[in-house]
Amino acid sequence: LGKTPPMHAIAHDYQANHPAAQILYLSAEQFMYRFVQALRESTIMDFKSMFRNVNMLMVDDVQFIAGKDSTQEEFFHTFNSIHQEGGQIVLTSDRSPDSISTLEDRLRSRFKMGLVTHIQPPDIETRLAILHKKADVEPGGVRVPDDVLLFIAENFSKNIRELEGALTRVTAYSNLNGEACTRDMALTVLNDLISNSLPL
């Protein structure tokens, strides 16, 4: 359920349609540290040139700049410059613009002028598809039956990393112990990870 894979997909698609495009991807924390470094080393014009002359700026975890006045000021001008030149800006955050309390109103309004969407947890079919794909490439050649994949998909619904980690744990156990993958074996191996509130 991460924000990074969709960011990469957007960048790859944009690059495929605009081969000469300059795309810059970084976290908001990196943006802030580079800005502070530019101020400290008196290289602010180089900083502005690097960030404002791209076709697409992608900033992950933009909520990090909230409450940091100088960084928000610089980000505001960077945002405006790219937007006025017809560039694209893609931002991710762990909450909506309205929920970032210390974000400046002028940034909040700019963030909201684009497409704001919420990444929903994947449904059972999507989780199963992810598990099937991962099971096909898991090392060790362990065959994972559909009922075991379904068991994992039903019990790990909120986090894709945990979903994939559960499958890895089951296949590793099966491989190391020479034991066939079964639902009972998966329950034993994953018991400590499965919350009491989740279905068994």
Side-chain angles (χ1 to χ4, degrees):
L1 203 0
K3 303 179 300 286
T4 305
M7 293 274 278
H8 285 212
I10 291 168
H12 288 300
D13 184 70
Y14 190 82
Q15 190 80 65
N17 290 303
H18 306 88
Q22 295 272 333
I23 300 173
L24 181 57
Y25 171 89
L26 75 167
S27 69
E29 184 178 23
Q30 290 169 321
F31 180 89
M32 186 196 73
Y33 286 134
R34 288 185 186 189
F35 175 59
V36 170
Q37 182 179 18
L39 289 174
R40 188 178 304 129
E41 296 174 0
S42 299
T43 56
I44 196 68
M45 294 312 292
D46 292 339
F47 174 89
K48 290 180 184 203
S49 176
M50 180 173 97
F51 282 93
R52 297 182 188 184
N53 293 316
V54 296
N55 303 102
M56 177 179 275
L57 176 63
M58 308 184 85
V59 181
D60 206 358
D61 290 320
V62 75
Q63 77 278 356
F64 184 82
I65 67 170
K68 297 167 179 72
D69 294 341
S70 297
T71 303
Q72 286 189 85
E73 175 81 18
E74 182 57 34
F75 194 79
F76 170 78
H77 293 297
T78 298
F79 187 104
N80 281 348
S81 178
I82 294 169
H83 185 262
Q84 288 167 0
E85 292 299 318
Q88 299 291 314
I89 302 160
V90 181
L91 309 172
T92 68
S93 175
D94 62 1
R95 52 193 174 266
S96 71
D98 285 331
S99 299
I100 306 173
S101 60
T102 55
L103 185 67
E104 289 182 3
D105 286 339
R106 61 185 181 168
L107 279 175
R108 185 184 334 276
S109 69
R110 276 157 180 78
F111 293 176
K112 289 167 60 175
M113 74 185 197
L115 171 66
V116 178
T117 186
H118 179 70
I119 299 174
Q120 298 292 331
D123 58 26
I124 187 81
E125 291 84 5
T126 304
R127 295 195 305 273
L128 273 170
I130 291 167
L131 288 172
H132 275 287
K133 185 168 184 173
K134 184 155 178 68
D136 289 343
V137 296
E138 273 292 300
V142 175
R143 185 187 165 284
V144 185
D146 288 344
D147 67 322
V148 174
L149 295 177
L150 179 61
F151 170 77
I152 295 170
E154 288 173 339
N155 286 283
F156 295 88
S157 61
K158 294 187 174 113
N159 185 310
I160 297 301
R161 290 186 186 102
E162 288 179 6
L163 180 76
E164 293 179 337
L167 176 63
T168 299
R169 191 172 184 179
V170 168
T171 56
Y173 183 90
S174 175
N175 199 18
L176 290 170
N177 293 294
E179 187 177 327
C181 276
T182 64
R183 188 181 185 283
D184 288 341
M185 183 271 282
L187 175 57
T188 301
V189 171
L190 300 172
N191 192 42
D192 62 320
L193 299 178
I194 298 172
S195 162
N196 292 332
S197 64
L198 292 174
L200 293 175

